[in-house]
Amino acid sequence: MKEDKKKYIGVTITILSVLLILGPSLFFGFIGKPAEMGVALAAGALAAAFLNLDKLQKFKGAGIEFELKQAVKEAQATIENLKEFTDPLFVSSIKIMSVGMTWDGIPENIQHDIVRKIEKITDGNNVSVDVTNAIKDFYDYNFIQLFNRLISGIEGYYKPEVSKQLSLLMDAEKSIFPSGKQVDQVLSELPHITPELEDLIKDYAFYKENRYPRSRS
């Protein structure tokens, strides 16, 4: 059934191609208008060529020449070369903003905007594992920094058991980071929460929810 359908489509395209090339040009030739006949022949050839793009290797006629298959192959090769070129750029850009090599001159929100744009570009484009890992490492790096600030923020309470409970919630090697609710449960054992610690808690909870820095303005 599929083969018959393909044959039917192929025959239909062939007939259309012939009609597009010969029909208008024969009509103008019949009524004695050679200039219009030439234009119609060129337009018909162009239309027929586009109907047969998948088969066309080279077409020459009515002053028009196509070498499409080779052009498509070259374009595909160029895209692959660009991919090989951009992957390392993506990886290096992301790593510069994490893994201890942060761009101190670039605000955190701008860093995240850059990574988000890279994520959007690479989404569904079969990027290399290196790019995927670099994006993951970037977010893990920021999670670790925020979580460590939380731990430092409760040192002044002299509650080592609370610090230990909080530390056990995170496993950086496995990319396990607690939710804001889990953090709140542990820190509820503190006698009080200072405004400074409250900000740190909110910073972490917001990042956990959005993977983006919280604005304090």
Side-chain angles (χ1 to χ4, degrees):
M1 184 65 71
K2 288 184 178 180
E3 288 298 322
D4 291 339
K5 188 175 181 180
K6 286 182 180 179
K7 288 180 181 179
Y8 174 77
I9 293 172
V11 171
T12 303
I13 289 175
T14 301
I15 293 172
L16 283 172
S17 300
V18 172
L19 289 175
L20 284 168
I21 295 173
L22 297 180
S25 57
L26 287 174
F27 171 76
F28 285 116
F30 179 75
I31 62 176
K33 293 187 176 181
E36 287 84 350
M37 178 181 175
V39 172
L41 183 62
L46 183 62
F50 277 100
L51 278 174
N52 293 276
L53 280 177
D54 59 327
K55 302 187 186 78
L56 195 61
Q57 172 65 43
K58 185 173 182 179
F59 173 85
K60 189 172 184 179
I64 305 168
E65 184 171 354
F66 297 94
E67 293 187 18
L68 294 179
K69 283 192 174 179
Q70 185 60 33
V72 169
K73 286 181 182 178
E74 290 175 0
Q76 288 173 339
T78 301
I79 290 170
E80 285 302 313
N81 289 337
L82 282 172
K83 182 176 178 297
E84 290 179 7
F85 177 70
T86 54
D87 275 7
L89 284 179
F90 285 154
V91 172
S92 60
S93 296
I94 295 167
K95 283 187 177 295
I96 284 173
M97 295 184 291
S98 60
V99 199
M101 298 183 291
T102 48
W103 283 345
D104 292 331
I106 300 180
E108 285 185 338
N109 63 316
I110 302 299
Q111 293 179 25
H112 283 74
D113 288 341
I114 293 169
V115 174
R116 282 187 168 187
K117 286 177 182 178
I118 292 174
E119 280 188 284
K120 187 175 181 180
I121 292 169
T122 58
D123 185 36
N125 286 321
N126 298 319
V127 296
S128 69
V129 175
D130 290 338
V131 175
T132 303
N133 287 340
I135 292 172
K136 173 184 167 297
D137 289 344
F138 171 80
Y139 289 116
D140 283 1
Y141 171 83
N142 282 277
F143 270 122
I144 292 169
Q145 297 305 304
L146 288 167
F147 197 79
N148 285 340
R149 288 173 199 164
L150 269 179
I151 293 174
S152 297
I154 64 174
E155 286 178 353
Y157 287 88
Y158 302 105
K159 292 283 186 177
E161 68 281 2
V162 176
S163 297
K164 184 178 180 180
Q165 287 181 49
L166 189 62
S167 299
L168 291 174
L169 291 177
M170 183 184 76
D171 188 337
E173 290 185 5
K174 295 181 180 179
S175 299
I176 296 174
F177 304 98
S179 65
K181 187 176 181 180
Q182 288 176 298
V183 170
D184 286 338
Q185 287 175 344
V186 171
L187 297 187
S188 64
E189 297 182 22
L190 295 175
H192 66 282
I193 302 293
T194 64
E196 292 78 14
L197 181 57
E198 182 68 29
D199 271 333
L200 294 175
I201 295 170
K202 289 180 178 178
D203 288 345
Y204 177 84
F206 185 89
Y207 196 85
K208 179 65 178 178
E209 187 71 24
N210 302 281
R211 294 205 307 178
Y212 196 83
R214 181 177 77 98
S215 174
R216 291 195 183 185
S217 59

